[in-house]
Amino acid sequence: MKLAKLFGTALVALSLSAPVLAQQAGGQPDQVDQLAQMVGLSEDQQKEIRGILEKMQGEIGSLREEARALQEQMQAEIKADYNEAAIREQGENLGDVTGEIATLSALMQAKVDRVFTQEQRDELDKKMQEMRQQMQQRQMMQQGQ
């Protein structure tokens, strides 16, 4: 059950980590609004979650740009007269940056989870379980075709 809870929280946090924090085009509710409807978040909880996401998104976004630049630098080193030391150094740097992205993502998930009440966590677990079952059913139907 703990794994299901962790997985559900991770899924929600990952969906929230998308850079869409305000209303999306076409008047569709953003992820925080959807989460609010799903588990009954108060206005204060929504505001707190938005604050967490905005702060963390800036940090994660800069690191993603840095990771992209490092990947491009590594790709530029792929040639006949390659420099192994440069490739290794960029690989290490890329590992450090992606590790920091993973750390910040986990911290963001933990901070968002802390905003929920136990009842909301339970409701979220239930909804996530339902979503997993629906996804499994879709996969089974696709495999059967």
Side-chain angles (χ1 to χ4, degrees):
M1 183 62 181
K2 186 173 183 175
L3 179 63
K5 183 176 187 178
L6 179 63
F7 182 72
T9 303
L11 280 177
V12 170
L14 289 174
S15 72
L16 292 173
S17 69
V20 181
L21 297 172
Q23 290 291 86
Q24 296 174 344
Q28 295 293 318
D30 68 9
Q31 287 91 350
V32 177
D33 288 339
Q34 291 172 354
L35 187 57
Q37 292 172 5
M38 192 183 304
V39 299
L41 295 176
S42 70
E43 289 295 322
D44 288 342
Q45 286 175 307
Q46 291 177 57
K47 184 177 178 182
E48 188 173 351
I49 290 172
R50 286 180 200 283
I52 292 166
L53 296 179
E54 288 173 10
K55 180 180 185 304
M56 302 297 285
Q57 278 304 310
E59 295 175 46
I60 292 171
S62 333
L63 288 170
R64 284 186 179 147
E65 287 301 316
E66 187 178 341
R68 245 188 300 274
L70 287 166
Q71 286 173 329
E72 289 174 10
Q73 290 171 9
M74 265 177 54
Q75 288 296 316
E77 291 293 333
I78 299 173
K79 53 191 173 190
D81 61 337
Y82 67 93
N83 179 338
E84 183 175 347
I87 291 172
R88 288 187 178 280
E89 181 179 343
Q90 290 162 352
E92 284 182 34
N93 291 339
L94 182 59
D96 290 344
V97 171
T98 56
E100 184 63 15
I101 290 170
T103 299
L104 289 176
S105 294
L107 287 170
M108 181 176 60
Q109 292 171 29
K111 288 177 182 186
V112 168
D113 188 62
R114 185 175 57 193
V115 175
F116 298 139
T117 65
Q118 186 58 51
E119 293 79 20
Q120 289 168 331
R121 284 185 198 99
D122 293 343
E123 182 65 21
L124 183 57
D125 287 342
K126 179 181 164 189
K127 300 278 185 185
M128 287 296 135
Q129 180 62 31
E130 291 170 4
M131 289 173 63
R132 281 190 295 277
Q133 288 174 348
Q134 289 173 358
M135 288 173 62
Q136 288 173 346
Q137 288 173 348
R138 277 190 229 124
Q139 287 175 346
M140 290 173 62
M141 288 175 60
Q142 289 175 349
Q143 291 173 355
Q145 292 178 340

